[in-house]
Amino acid sequence: MAEFTMELSDEQKEVRDWLHGFAADVIRPAAAEWDEREETPWPVIQEAAKVGIYSLDFYAQQYFDSTGLGIPMAMEELFWGDAGIALSIVGTGLAAVGVLANGTEEQIGTWIPQMYGDANDVKVAAFCSSEPDAGSDVASMRTRAVYDEAKDEWVLNGTKTWATNGGIANVHVVVAVVDPDLGSKGHASFIVPPNTPGLSQGQKFKKHGIRASHTAEVVLDNVRVPGSCLLGGKEKLDARLARAREKAKKGGERVKNAAMATFEASRPAVGAMAVGTARAAYEVALEYAQTREQFGRPIIDNQGVAFQLADMRTSIDAARLLVWRASWMAINGKPFTAAEGSMSKLFASETAKKVTAQAIQILGGNGYTREYPVERMHRDSAIYTIFEGTSEIQRLVIARTLAGMPIR
């Protein structure tokens, strides 16, 4: 087990500086254009693939960093560049992690390379879980998967929403209900291979922020996938369902929802994204306050501005420490006895919204225009309090954990 430390190793610093250089030289100059276009920034993703950032190998190296700081460090630097473009670069990772967590070795080796493609022909993948009537309430999911034993195929029907890369992905990972009587315990995940008949893109959402990231509905109309596309395999699924049915029959104590537990472990990464956006806005505001003069002196000489910047920096550093603590705990198998994952995501996301709003205020009228990036950063920051569980859900998770109550 790695000791908790706030000092990055020389190797980690080298990776951080490399990512920061890519964010500064490639992502940030393209941010305003792709925000306006509201399209997937394929050229930027391709550049990330060429240098090795957009690849499973890179994210695996960061994920298995024994300090737990690889992923939050990477997320902070990329999202410092721009949230929309960064999400386009890291969005495939959601689907890849779904396969890594639940798939067999053969499934991992077959499908994850197809999610990324290569530097000359980049691909993306989509993780499809949320539905129009089932976001935080995963037990209300309606997308069904029915097994056709004669053909050894699963038939999927339903509509997914808020899917990053939905409809444009080469590979879709879809969570569906296989036993509705078991609630959230009756769910399973499936690979939908490229060009599978019946899968189509529904509504593409025109969003307030993160506009360079493609978000859409995914419609599944009698989508047939081979039995081999059930992540983990049918034998494993049948055994899990049998255990769940036995517990339900005995009226056993409710176990923690598996999906919620997964989200709890992944939430620090979202917190790191929020820290990156907040830090970017703070740096713009600090530079502006040092160079903008009013009444014959820089506006940072005014206590009202200086105190805002002091609070901004303090909140950003506090958010990063919460993210790092939760990330270290997760990689070292420490239980989140106080919902530390949700704490980090809650505080960091709320910090991003507040800091970006303060940055606009410090820039005044300039901050309200698209000539300066803080306007875009403020729009982008709103997503952090919504996806991977709203701030209200985070507070619920924390409160129920502290009270020793089941999270459902």
Side-chain angles (χ1 to χ4, degrees), residues 119-156:
N120 296 316
D121 184 23
V122 292
K123 305 291 185 183
V124 295
F127 182 75
C128 307
S129 178
S130 294
E131 297 184 2
D133 296 319
S136 299
D137 183 10
V138 294
S140 297
M141 190 177 294
R142 296 180 180 176
T143 296
R144 290 295 307 276
V146 178
Y147 185 56
D148 183 342
E149 190 170 0
K151 295 184 178 180
D152 185 26
E153 292 179 339
W154 288 90
V155 185
L156 279 61

PDB file of all heavy atoms in Angstrom, residues 119-156:
ATOM      1  N   ALA A 119      -4.264   6.039 -34.342  1.00  0.00           N
ATOM      2  CA  ALA A 119      -3.992   7.453 -34.605  1.00  0.00           C
ATOM      3  C   ALA A 119      -4.442   7.890 -35.990  1.00  0.00           C
ATOM      4  O   ALA A 119      -4.733   9.065 -36.216  1.00  0.00           O
ATOM      5  CB  ALA A 119      -2.505   7.743 -34.418  1.00  0.00           C
ATOM      6  N   ASN A 120      -4.493   6.954 -36.937  1.00  0.00           N
ATOM      7  CA  ASN A 120      -4.908   7.293 -38.301  1.00  0.00           C
ATOM      8  C   ASN A 120      -6.413   7.152 -38.516  1.00  0.00           C
ATOM      9  O   ASN A 120      -6.952   7.668 -39.486  1.00  0.00           O
ATOM     10  CB  ASN A 120      -4.164   6.401 -39.297  1.00  0.00           C
ATOM     11  CG  ASN A 120      -2.671   6.642 -39.270  1.00  0.00           C
ATOM     12  OD1 ASN A 120      -2.223   7.788 -39.235  1.00  0.00           O
ATOM     13  ND2 ASN A 120      -1.889   5.561 -39.256  1.00  0.00           N
ATOM     14  N   ASP A 121      -7.064   6.432 -37.613  1.00  0.00           N
ATOM     15  CA  ASP A 121      -8.507   6.214 -37.745  1.00  0.00           C
ATOM     16  C   ASP A 121      -9.096   6.102 -36.341  1.00  0.00           C
ATOM     17  O   ASP A 121      -9.438   5.020 -35.877  1.00  0.00           O
ATOM     18  CB  ASP A 121      -8.778   4.939 -38.553  1.00  0.00           C
ATOM     19  CG  ASP A 121     -10.263   4.708 -38.808  1.00  0.00           C
ATOM     20  OD1 ASP A 121     -11.038   5.699 -38.766  1.00  0.00           O
ATOM     21  OD2 ASP A 121     -10.661   3.553 -39.042  1.00  0.00           O
ATOM     22  N   VAL A 122      -9.232   7.251 -35.664  1.00  0.00           N
ATOM     23  CA  VAL A 122      -9.689   7.228 -34.278  1.00  0.00           C
ATOM     24  C   VAL A 122     -11.174   6.871 -34.200  1.00  0.00           C
ATOM     25  O   VAL A 122     -11.966   7.229 -35.076  1.00  0.00           O
ATOM     26  CB  VAL A 122      -9.451   8.581 -33.566  1.00  0.00           C
ATOM     27  CG1 VAL A 122      -7.971   8.833 -33.388  1.00  0.00           C
ATOM     28  CG2 VAL A 122     -10.134   9.721 -34.279  1.00  0.00           C
ATOM     29  N   LYS A 123     -11.514   6.140 -33.160  1.00  0.00           N
ATOM     30  CA  LYS A 123     -12.895   5.771 -32.880  1.00  0.00           C
ATOM     31  C   LYS A 123     -13.238   6.245 -31.468  1.00  0.00           C
ATOM     32  O   LYS A 123     -12.350   6.581 -30.684  1.00  0.00           O
ATOM     33  CB  LYS A 123     -13.089   4.249 -32.958  1.00  0.00           C
ATOM     34  CG  LYS A 123     -12.640   3.617 -34.268  1.00  0.00           C
ATOM     35  CD  LYS A 123     -13.540   4.011 -35.419  1.00  0.00           C
ATOM     36  CE  LYS A 123     -13.141   3.264 -36.692  1.00  0.00           C
ATOM     37  NZ  LYS A 123     -13.961   3.691 -37.862  1.00  0.00           N
ATOM     38  N   VAL A 124     -14.525   6.257 -31.150  1.00  0.00           N
ATOM     39  CA  VAL A 124     -14.956   6.551 -29.790  1.00  0.00           C
ATOM     40  C   VAL A 124     -15.958   5.491 -29.352  1.00  0.00           C
ATOM     41  O   VAL A 124     -16.496   4.753 -30.178  1.00  0.00           O
ATOM     42  CB  VAL A 124     -15.589   7.961 -29.661  1.00  0.00           C
ATOM     43  CG1 VAL A 124     -14.555   9.041 -29.936  1.00  0.00           C
ATOM     44  CG2 VAL A 124     -16.791   8.116 -30.584  1.00  0.00           C
ATOM     45  N   ALA A 125     -16.189   5.425 -28.055  1.00  0.00           N
ATOM     46  CA  ALA A 125     -17.151   4.472 -27.498  1.00  0.00           C
ATOM     47  C   ALA A 125     -18.114   5.212 -26.590  1.00  0.00           C
ATOM     48  O   ALA A 125     -17.850   6.337 -26.152  1.00  0.00           O
ATOM     49  CB  ALA A 125     -16.435   3.365 -26.733  1.00  0.00           C
ATOM     50  N   ALA A 126     -19.253   4.571 -26.309  1.00  0.00           N
ATOM     51  CA  ALA A 126     -20.284   5.190 -25.478  1.00  0.00           C
ATOM     52  C   ALA A 126     -20.725   4.227 -24.388  1.00  0.00           C
ATOM     53  O   ALA A 126     -20.886   3.026 -24.636  1.00  0.00           O
ATOM     54  CB  ALA A 126     -21.477   5.597 -26.327  1.00  0.00           C
ATOM     55  N   PHE A 127     -20.921   4.763 -23.193  1.00  0.00           N
ATOM     56  CA  PHE A 127     -21.497   3.996 -22.082  1.00  0.00           C
ATOM     57  C   PHE A 127     -22.925   4.487 -21.899  1.00  0.00           C
ATOM     58  O   PHE A 127     -23.153   5.680 -21.641  1.00  0.00           O
ATOM     59  CB  PHE A 127     -20.689   4.198 -20.804  1.00  0.00           C
ATOM     60  CG  PHE A 127     -21.197   3.398 -19.640  1.00  0.00           C
ATOM     61  CD1 PHE A 127     -20.969   2.034 -19.575  1.00  0.00           C
ATOM     62  CD2 PHE A 127     -21.898   4.003 -18.603  1.00  0.00           C
ATOM     63  CE1 PHE A 127     -21.432   1.280 -18.504  1.00  0.00           C
ATOM     64  CE2 PHE A 127     -22.362   3.261 -17.537  1.00  0.00           C
ATOM     65  CZ  PHE A 127     -22.129   1.902 -17.487  1.00  0.00           C
ATOM     66  N   CYS A 128     -23.883   3.583 -22.030  1.00  0.00           N
ATOM     67  CA  CYS A 128     -25.299   3.962 -22.044  1.00  0.00           C
ATOM     68  C   CYS A 128     -26.007   3.374 -20.833  1.00  0.00           C
ATOM     69  O   CYS A 128     -26.304   2.171 -20.802  1.00  0.00           O
ATOM     70  CB  CYS A 128     -25.967   3.470 -23.333  1.00  0.00           C
ATOM     71  SG  CYS A 128     -25.119   3.961 -24.848  1.00  0.00           S
ATOM     72  N   SER A 129     -26.284   4.212 -19.856  1.00  0.00           N
ATOM     73  CA  SER A 129     -26.949   3.768 -18.640  1.00  0.00           C
ATOM     74  C   SER A 129     -28.218   4.575 -18.368  1.00  0.00           C
ATOM     75  O   SER A 129     -29.295   4.012 -18.207  1.00  0.00           O
ATOM     76  CB  SER A 129     -25.999   3.868 -17.444  1.00  0.00           C
ATOM     77  OG  SER A 129     -26.635   3.478 -16.251  1.00  0.00           O
ATOM     78  N   SER A 130     -28.114   5.908 -18.317  1.00  0.00           N
ATOM     79  CA  SER A 130     -29.265   6.754 -17.981  1.00  0.00           C
ATOM     80  C   SER A 130     -30.388   6.614 -18.996  1.00  0.00           C
ATOM     81  O   SER A 130     -30.152   6.349 -20.179  1.00  0.00           O
ATOM     82  CB  SER A 130     -28.838   8.221 -17.906  1.00  0.00           C
ATOM     83  OG  SER A 130     -27.950   8.435 -16.838  1.00  0.00           O
ATOM     84  N   GLU A 131     -31.616   6.820 -18.506  1.00  0.00           N
ATOM     85  CA  GLU A 131     -32.799   6.773 -19.353  1.00  0.00           C
ATOM     86  C   GLU A 131     -33.672   7.988 -19.056  1.00  0.00           C
ATOM     87  O   GLU A 131     -33.483   8.654 -18.030  1.00  0.00           O
ATOM     88  CB  GLU A 131     -33.580   5.480 -19.104  1.00  0.00           C
ATOM     89  CG  GLU A 131     -32.789   4.237 -19.457  1.00  0.00           C
ATOM     90  CD  GLU A 131     -33.597   2.949 -19.292  1.00  0.00           C
ATOM     91  OE1 GLU A 131     -34.798   3.043 -18.943  1.00  0.00           O
ATOM     92  OE2 GLU A 131     -33.027   1.870 -19.517  1.00  0.00           O
ATOM     93  N   PRO A 132     -34.631   8.288 -19.928  1.00  0.00           N
ATOM     94  CA  PRO A 132     -35.490   9.455 -19.685  1.00  0.00           C
ATOM     95  C   PRO A 132     -36.144   9.449 -18.305  1.00  0.00           C
ATOM     96  O   PRO A 132     -36.350  10.503 -17.704  1.00  0.00           O
ATOM     97  CB  PRO A 132     -36.534   9.350 -20.806  1.00  0.00           C
ATOM     98  CG  PRO A 132     -35.799   8.669 -21.919  1.00  0.00           C
ATOM     99  CD  PRO A 132     -34.896   7.687 -21.243  1.00  0.00           C
ATOM    100  N   ASP A 133     -36.493   8.266 -17.780  1.00  0.00           N
ATOM    101  CA  ASP A 133     -37.143   8.170 -16.469  1.00  0.00           C
ATOM    102  C   ASP A 133     -36.272   7.483 -15.432  1.00  0.00           C
ATOM    103  O   ASP A 133     -36.761   7.095 -14.370  1.00  0.00           O
ATOM    104  CB  ASP A 133     -38.471   7.417 -16.594  1.00  0.00           C
ATOM    105  CG  ASP A 133     -39.469   8.158 -17.470  1.00  0.00           C
ATOM    106  OD1 ASP A 133     -39.562   9.395 -17.347  1.00  0.00           O
ATOM    107  OD2 ASP A 133     -40.146   7.498 -18.284  1.00  0.00           O
ATOM    108  N   ALA A 134     -34.992   7.289 -15.730  1.00  0.00           N
ATOM    109  CA  ALA A 134     -34.100   6.607 -14.799  1.00  0.00           C
ATOM    110  C   ALA A 134     -32.708   7.197 -14.890  1.00  0.00           C
ATOM    111  O   ALA A 134     -31.896   6.783 -15.714  1.00  0.00           O
ATOM    112  CB  ALA A 134     -34.057   5.104 -15.094  1.00  0.00           C
ATOM    113  N   GLY A 135     -32.468   8.208 -14.036  1.00  0.00           N
ATOM    114  CA  GLY A 135     -31.135   8.782 -13.957  1.00  0.00           C
ATOM    115  C   GLY A 135     -30.476   8.298 -12.676  1.00  0.00           C
ATOM    116  O   GLY A 135     -29.877   7.242 -12.619  1.00  0.00           O
ATOM    117  N   SER A 136     -30.651   9.087 -11.600  1.00  0.00           N
ATOM    118  CA  SER A 136     -30.133   8.657 -10.303  1.00  0.00           C
ATOM    119  C   SER A 136     -30.877   7.418  -9.800  1.00  0.00           C
ATOM    120  O   SER A 136     -30.307   6.585  -9.090  1.00  0.00           O
ATOM    121  CB  SER A 136     -30.285   9.798  -9.286  1.00  0.00           C
ATOM    122  OG  SER A 136     -29.553  10.932  -9.692  1.00  0.00           O
ATOM    123  N   ASP A 137     -32.145   7.281 -10.173  1.00  0.00           N
ATOM    124  CA  ASP A 137     -32.948   6.137  -9.738  1.00  0.00           C
ATOM    125  C   ASP A 137     -32.740   4.983 -10.719  1.00  0.00           C
ATOM    126  O   ASP A 137     -33.581   4.699 -11.581  1.00  0.00           O
ATOM    127  CB  ASP A 137     -34.423   6.542  -9.676  1.00  0.00           C
ATOM    128  CG  ASP A 137     -35.323   5.420  -9.168  1.00  0.00           C
ATOM    129  OD1 ASP A 137     -34.788   4.404  -8.691  1.00  0.00           O
ATOM    130  OD2 ASP A 137     -36.560   5.568  -9.268  1.00  0.00           O
ATOM    131  N   VAL A 138     -31.603   4.276 -10.571  1.00  0.00           N
ATOM    132  CA  VAL A 138     -31.262   3.226 -11.528  1.00  0.00           C
ATOM    133  C   VAL A 138     -32.236   2.057 -11.469  1.00  0.00           C
ATOM    134  O   VAL A 138     -32.372   1.296 -12.426  1.00  0.00           O
ATOM    135  CB  VAL A 138     -29.824   2.714 -11.294  1.00  0.00           C
ATOM    136  CG1 VAL A 138     -28.818   3.797 -11.606  1.00  0.00           C
ATOM    137  CG2 VAL A 138     -29.640   2.203  -9.869  1.00  0.00           C
ATOM    138  N   ALA A 139     -32.951   1.908 -10.342  1.00  0.00           N
ATOM    139  CA  ALA A 139     -33.902   0.801 -10.224  1.00  0.00           C
ATOM    140  C   ALA A 139     -35.097   0.981 -11.152  1.00  0.00           C
ATOM    141  O   ALA A 139     -35.846   0.029 -11.398  1.00  0.00           O
ATOM    142  CB  ALA A 139     -34.372   0.670  -8.781  1.00  0.00           C
ATOM    143  N   SER A 140     -35.293   2.199 -11.680  1.00  0.00           N
ATOM    144  CA  SER A 140     -36.423   2.466 -12.579  1.00  0.00           C
ATOM    145  C   SER A 140     -36.087   2.219 -14.048  1.00  0.00           C
ATOM    146  O   SER A 140     -36.889   2.536 -14.929  1.00  0.00           O
ATOM    147  CB  SER A 140     -36.890   3.918 -12.405  1.00  0.00           C
ATOM    148  OG  SER A 140     -37.373   4.129 -11.099  1.00  0.00           O
ATOM    149  N   MET A 141     -34.922   1.662 -14.319  1.00  0.00           N
ATOM    150  CA  MET A 141     -34.508   1.413 -15.697  1.00  0.00           C
ATOM    151  C   MET A 141     -35.506   0.506 -16.418  1.00  0.00           C
ATOM    152  O   MET A 141     -36.001  -0.475 -15.849  1.00  0.00           O
ATOM    153  CB  MET A 141     -33.119   0.767 -15.695  1.00  0.00           C
ATOM    154  CG  MET A 141     -32.463   0.670 -17.059  1.00  0.00           C
ATOM    155  SD  MET A 141     -30.784  -0.018 -16.933  1.00  0.00           S
ATOM    156  CE  MET A 141     -29.942   1.281 -16.020  1.00  0.00           C
ATOM    157  N   ARG A 142     -35.783   0.831 -17.694  1.00  0.00           N
ATOM    158  CA  ARG A 142     -36.779   0.090 -18.463  1.00  0.00           C
ATOM    159  C   ARG A 142     -36.210  -0.653 -19.666  1.00  0.00           C
ATOM    160  O   ARG A 142     -36.870  -1.539 -20.220  1.00  0.00           O
ATOM    161  CB  ARG A 142     -37.880   1.036 -18.942  1.00  0.00           C
ATOM    162  CG  ARG A 142     -38.691   1.663 -17.806  1.00  0.00           C
ATOM    163  CD  ARG A 142     -39.764   2.590 -18.352  1.00  0.00           C
ATOM    164  NE  ARG A 142     -40.538   3.189 -17.268  1.00  0.00           N
ATOM    165  CZ  ARG A 142     -41.495   4.107 -17.450  1.00  0.00           C
ATOM    166  NH1 ARG A 142     -41.771   4.516 -18.678  1.00  0.00           N
ATOM    167  NH2 ARG A 142     -42.142   4.594 -16.429  1.00  0.00           N
ATOM    168  N   THR A 143     -35.031  -0.292 -20.116  1.00  0.00           N
ATOM    169  CA  THR A 143     -34.450  -0.987 -21.263  1.00  0.00           C
ATOM    170  C   THR A 143     -34.310  -2.469 -20.924  1.00  0.00           C
ATOM    171  O   THR A 143     -33.716  -2.836 -19.917  1.00  0.00           O
ATOM    172  CB  THR A 143     -33.073  -0.396 -21.623  1.00  0.00           C
ATOM    173  OG1 THR A 143     -33.252   0.954 -22.044  1.00  0.00           O
ATOM    174  CG2 THR A 143     -32.416  -1.183 -22.745  1.00  0.00           C
ATOM    175  N   ARG A 144     -34.871  -3.325 -21.779  1.00  0.00           N
ATOM    176  CA  ARG A 144     -34.910  -4.754 -21.505  1.00  0.00           C
ATOM    177  C   ARG A 144     -33.966  -5.512 -22.428  1.00  0.00           C
ATOM    178  O   ARG A 144     -33.762  -5.147 -23.597  1.00  0.00           O
ATOM    179  CB  ARG A 144     -36.328  -5.304 -21.706  1.00  0.00           C
ATOM    180  CG  ARG A 144     -37.343  -4.855 -20.671  1.00  0.00           C
ATOM    181  CD  ARG A 144     -37.024  -5.385 -19.281  1.00  0.00           C
ATOM    182  NE  ARG A 144     -36.853  -6.832 -19.270  1.00  0.00           N
ATOM    183  CZ  ARG A 144     -37.843  -7.707 -19.172  1.00  0.00           C
ATOM    184  NH1 ARG A 144     -39.107  -7.284 -19.099  1.00  0.00           N
ATOM    185  NH2 ARG A 144     -37.595  -9.009 -19.151  1.00  0.00           N
ATOM    186  N   ALA A 145     -33.419  -6.585 -21.872  1.00  0.00           N
ATOM    187  CA  ALA A 145     -32.611  -7.522 -22.650  1.00  0.00           C
ATOM    188  C   ALA A 145     -33.198  -8.912 -22.424  1.00  0.00           C
ATOM    189  O   ALA A 145     -33.274  -9.379 -21.289  1.00  0.00           O
ATOM    190  CB  ALA A 145     -31.155  -7.480 -22.214  1.00  0.00           C
ATOM    191  N   VAL A 146     -33.651  -9.545 -23.498  1.00  0.00           N
ATOM    192  CA  VAL A 146     -34.286 -10.860 -23.416  1.00  0.00           C
ATOM    193  C   VAL A 146     -33.422 -11.868 -24.172  1.00  0.00           C
ATOM    194  O   VAL A 146     -33.010 -11.620 -25.310  1.00  0.00           O
ATOM    195  CB  VAL A 146     -35.715 -10.821 -24.010  1.00  0.00           C
ATOM    196  CG1 VAL A 146     -36.354 -12.213 -23.969  1.00  0.00           C
ATOM    197  CG2 VAL A 146     -36.571  -9.813 -23.243  1.00  0.00           C
ATOM    198  N   TYR A 147     -33.183 -13.013 -23.541  1.00  0.00           N
ATOM    199  CA  TYR A 147     -32.311 -14.025 -24.139  1.00  0.00           C
ATOM    200  C   TYR A 147     -33.088 -14.930 -25.088  1.00  0.00           C
ATOM    201  O   TYR A 147     -34.118 -15.495 -24.723  1.00  0.00           O
ATOM    202  CB  TYR A 147     -31.652 -14.867 -23.050  1.00  0.00           C
ATOM    203  CG  TYR A 147     -30.644 -15.858 -23.564  1.00  0.00           C
ATOM    204  CD1 TYR A 147     -29.556 -15.442 -24.337  1.00  0.00           C
ATOM    205  CD2 TYR A 147     -30.760 -17.216 -23.269  1.00  0.00           C
ATOM    206  CE1 TYR A 147     -28.617 -16.341 -24.805  1.00  0.00           C
ATOM    207  CE2 TYR A 147     -29.821 -18.131 -23.729  1.00  0.00           C
ATOM    208  CZ  TYR A 147     -28.752 -17.685 -24.496  1.00  0.00           C
ATOM    209  OH  TYR A 147     -27.818 -18.578 -24.961  1.00  0.00           O
ATOM    210  N   ASP A 148     -32.611 -15.024 -26.338  1.00  0.00           N
ATOM    211  CA  ASP A 148     -33.164 -15.945 -27.337  1.00  0.00           C
ATOM    212  C   ASP A 148     -32.261 -17.180 -27.329  1.00  0.00           C
ATOM    213  O   ASP A 148     -31.215 -17.209 -27.981  1.00  0.00           O
ATOM    214  CB  ASP A 148     -33.176 -15.275 -28.708  1.00  0.00           C
ATOM    215  CG  ASP A 148     -33.806 -16.146 -29.789  1.00  0.00           C
ATOM    216  OD1 ASP A 148     -33.926 -17.369 -29.562  1.00  0.00           O
ATOM    217  OD2 ASP A 148     -34.171 -15.613 -30.859  1.00  0.00           O
ATOM    218  N   GLU A 149     -32.686 -18.195 -26.572  1.00  0.00           N
ATOM    219  CA  GLU A 149     -31.839 -19.364 -26.377  1.00  0.00           C
ATOM    220  C   GLU A 149     -31.577 -20.115 -27.673  1.00  0.00           C
ATOM    221  O   GLU A 149     -30.482 -20.634 -27.897  1.00  0.00           O
ATOM    222  CB  GLU A 149     -32.482 -20.307 -25.353  1.00  0.00           C
ATOM    223  CG  GLU A 149     -31.571 -21.428 -24.894  1.00  0.00           C
ATOM    224  CD  GLU A 149     -32.136 -22.180 -23.713  1.00  0.00           C
ATOM    225  OE1 GLU A 149     -33.252 -21.817 -23.247  1.00  0.00           O
ATOM    226  OE2 GLU A 149     -31.467 -23.119 -23.243  1.00  0.00           O
ATOM    227  N   ALA A 150     -32.575 -20.152 -28.558  1.00  0.00           N
ATOM    228  CA  ALA A 150     -32.435 -20.904 -29.808  1.00  0.00           C
ATOM    229  C   ALA A 150     -31.306 -20.352 -30.671  1.00  0.00           C
ATOM    230  O   ALA A 150     -30.596 -21.108 -31.349  1.00  0.00           O
ATOM    231  CB  ALA A 150     -33.746 -20.886 -30.580  1.00  0.00           C
ATOM    232  N   LYS A 151     -31.132 -19.036 -30.644  1.00  0.00           N
ATOM    233  CA  LYS A 151     -30.108 -18.394 -31.472  1.00  0.00           C
ATOM    234  C   LYS A 151     -28.893 -17.948 -30.663  1.00  0.00           C
ATOM    235  O   LYS A 151     -27.931 -17.416 -31.238  1.00  0.00           O
ATOM    236  CB  LYS A 151     -30.702 -17.194 -32.209  1.00  0.00           C
ATOM    237  CG  LYS A 151     -31.783 -17.555 -33.218  1.00  0.00           C
ATOM    238  CD  LYS A 151     -32.254 -16.315 -33.969  1.00  0.00           C
ATOM    239  CE  LYS A 151     -33.296 -16.673 -35.027  1.00  0.00           C
ATOM    240  NZ  LYS A 151     -33.765 -15.479 -35.783  1.00  0.00           N
ATOM    241  N   ASP A 152     -28.932 -18.147 -29.358  1.00  0.00           N
ATOM    242  CA  ASP A 152     -27.877 -17.651 -28.471  1.00  0.00           C
ATOM    243  C   ASP A 152     -27.632 -16.165 -28.739  1.00  0.00           C
ATOM    244  O   ASP A 152     -26.509 -15.726 -28.994  1.00  0.00           O
ATOM    245  CB  ASP A 152     -26.575 -18.440 -28.637  1.00  0.00           C
ATOM    246  CG  ASP A 152     -25.501 -18.014 -27.621  1.00  0.00           C
ATOM    247  OD1 ASP A 152     -25.881 -17.527 -26.531  1.00  0.00           O
ATOM    248  OD2 ASP A 152     -24.303 -18.133 -27.937  1.00  0.00           O
ATOM    249  N   GLU A 153     -28.720 -15.390 -28.672  1.00  0.00           N
ATOM    250  CA  GLU A 153     -28.657 -13.941 -28.876  1.00  0.00           C
ATOM    251  C   GLU A 153     -29.465 -13.240 -27.788  1.00  0.00           C
ATOM    252  O   GLU A 153     -30.436 -13.791 -27.264  1.00  0.00           O
ATOM    253  CB  GLU A 153     -29.209 -13.551 -30.249  1.00  0.00           C
ATOM    254  CG  GLU A 153     -28.361 -14.000 -31.423  1.00  0.00           C
ATOM    255  CD  GLU A 153     -28.974 -13.599 -32.760  1.00  0.00           C
ATOM    256  OE1 GLU A 153     -30.209 -13.347 -32.801  1.00  0.00           O
ATOM    257  OE2 GLU A 153     -28.231 -13.536 -33.745  1.00  0.00           O
ATOM    258  N   TRP A 154     -29.054 -12.028 -27.476  1.00  0.00           N
ATOM    259  CA  TRP A 154     -29.814 -11.155 -26.590  1.00  0.00           C
ATOM    260  C   TRP A 154     -30.506 -10.100 -27.435  1.00  0.00           C
ATOM    261  O   TRP A 154     -29.894  -9.543 -28.360  1.00  0.00           O
ATOM    262  CB  TRP A 154     -28.902 -10.490 -25.573  1.00  0.00           C
ATOM    263  CG  TRP A 154     -28.394 -11.424 -24.522  1.00  0.00           C
ATOM    264  CD1 TRP A 154     -27.257 -12.175 -24.571  1.00  0.00           C
ATOM    265  CD2 TRP A 154     -29.012 -11.722 -23.270  1.00  0.00           C
ATOM    266  NE1 TRP A 154     -27.117 -12.919 -23.427  1.00  0.00           N
ATOM    267  CE2 TRP A 154     -28.191 -12.656 -22.601  1.00  0.00           C
ATOM    268  CE3 TRP A 154     -30.186 -11.294 -22.642  1.00  0.00           C
ATOM    269  CZ2 TRP A 154     -28.494 -13.163 -21.343  1.00  0.00           C
ATOM    270  CZ3 TRP A 154     -30.490 -11.793 -21.382  1.00  0.00           C
ATOM    271  CH2 TRP A 154     -29.665 -12.714 -20.750  1.00  0.00           C
ATOM    272  N   VAL A 155     -31.772  -9.824 -27.118  1.00  0.00           N
ATOM    273  CA  VAL A 155     -32.554  -8.835 -27.858  1.00  0.00           C
ATOM    274  C   VAL A 155     -32.790  -7.642 -26.940  1.00  0.00           C
ATOM    275  O   VAL A 155     -33.403  -7.775 -25.875  1.00  0.00           O
ATOM    276  CB  VAL A 155     -33.893  -9.418 -28.334  1.00  0.00           C
ATOM    277  CG1 VAL A 155     -34.626  -8.388 -29.201  1.00  0.00           C
ATOM    278  CG2 VAL A 155     -33.673 -10.715 -29.111  1.00  0.00           C
ATOM    279  N   LEU A 156     -32.302  -6.474 -27.349  1.00  0.00           N
ATOM    280  CA  LEU A 156     -32.357  -5.264 -26.523  1.00  0.00           C
ATOM    281  C   LEU A 156     -33.381  -4.282 -27.088  1.00  0.00           C
ATOM    282  O   LEU A 156     -33.398  -4.009 -28.302  1.00  0.00           O
ATOM    283  CB  LEU A 156     -30.990  -4.574 -26.464  1.00  0.00           C
ATOM    284  CG  LEU A 156     -29.945  -5.122 -25.479  1.00  0.00           C
ATOM    285  CD1 LEU A 156     -29.583  -6.566 -25.803  1.00  0.00           C
ATOM    286  CD2 LEU A 156     -28.692  -4.249 -25.499  1.00  0.00           C
TER     287      LEU A 156
END
